[in-house]
Amino acid sequence: FVPSMRLTNCNALLDCFPDLRVYFTVSPKPPHAHMCVDCSTVWSNKTSLLYHVISRHLSLKPFACDACERTASVYTVVQQHYAKAHAHLSDKPSQMRLSAKPQSALKCSACGETFPAALHLLFHFFEQHWYEIQLAREEAAASAAVGAVDEPANEEAALPLEREEQKRQRLQQTCDHE
């Protein structure tokens, strides 16, 4: 799913992915500030709080460098990295400045697909990869708790299908794409 309109703020993302919204509350002061439910830090806008949640509480790195394997939680970190580490790849001086965007669109760290804007990439990342990441983390936690026990081969073959079905059901529940 690609949003038909340009995402200008994170409200559409939060509306479709309520797992993210649980971190958000309005701070009593200053007026209209946004507070992280987990750690009580206050942010001036929802987008800043979203990046905080992605990096600090979810430990996700959805943004990838076009030229190497570097990933980051915030696209500006990838931009700064690109400007410093790969300036020799750009023949345009404006693309070598730290504030400039990398020479191509923003790249998803999970699949390599590119997007024109950070919020579009985040929407894609949560829609396409979030539940896979959650399932992998749950399986790793369960495996660590019980110990590494090999499952029979016939059950292993069924796991990818079960994951896909769980992913499909969760996506249907969280976001209506009409």
Side-chain angles (χ1 to χ4, degrees):
F1 172 74
V2 176
S4 58
M5 62 185 155
R6 186 172 191 278
L7 295 173
T8 56
N9 62 48
C10 67
N11 286 329
L13 194 69
L14 296 174
D15 290 343
C16 285
F17 303 102
D19 291 353
L20 296 173
R21 192 173 282 284
V22 299
Y23 290 94
F24 288 67
T25 189
V26 176
S27 173
K29 51 185 173 177
H32 307 293
H34 304 278
M35 186 170 72
C36 176
V37 171
D38 259 16
C39 65
S40 301
T41 56
V42 177
W43 301 89
S44 61
N45 60 61
K46 286 181 186 175
T47 303
S48 295
L49 176 54
L50 176 64
Y51 284 116
H52 162 77
V53 169
I54 288 169
S55 65
R56 298 289 184 226
H57 302 300
L58 300 178
S59 300
L60 297 174
K61 294 185 175 186
F63 299 95
C65 177
D66 277 344
C68 70
E69 299 297 315
R70 174 81 187 255
T71 59
S73 299
V74 182
Y75 73 95
T76 54
V77 172
V78 173
Q79 289 176 336
Q80 291 171 354
H81 157 77
Y82 185 89
K84 289 178 182 176
H86 307 295
H88 63 282
L89 298 176
S90 176
D91 58 347
K92 298 177 184 174
S94 64
Q95 291 175 341
M96 292 192 280
R97 294 194 321 261
L98 293 182
S99 61
K101 288 189 177 182
Q103 66 184 17
S104 64
L106 300 169
K107 183 173 133 183
C108 175
S109 64
C111 67
E113 190 171 342
T114 57
F115 296 87
L119 288 174
H120 283 130
L121 185 147
L122 289 175
F123 195 98
H124 157 82
F125 187 85
F126 282 104
E127 183 181 52
Q128 297 298 319
H129 309 298
W130 172 238
Y131 293 111
E132 295 168 8
I133 291 168
Q134 279 185 309
L135 287 172
R137 286 178 177 178
E138 289 169 7
E139 289 173 2
S143 179
V146 182
V149 177
D150 290 337
E151 297 179 25
N154 59 349
E155 288 182 28
E156 285 181 17
L159 284 177
L161 296 174
E162 290 173 21
R163 285 188 197 124
E164 278 302 311
E165 180 60 22
Q166 287 175 345
K167 178 183 169 185
R168 188 186 62 73
Q169 288 173 354
R170 287 181 180 170
L171 283 173
Q172 281 181 333
Q173 292 170 356
T174 57
C175 190
D176 182 5
H177 298 303
E178 292 181 29

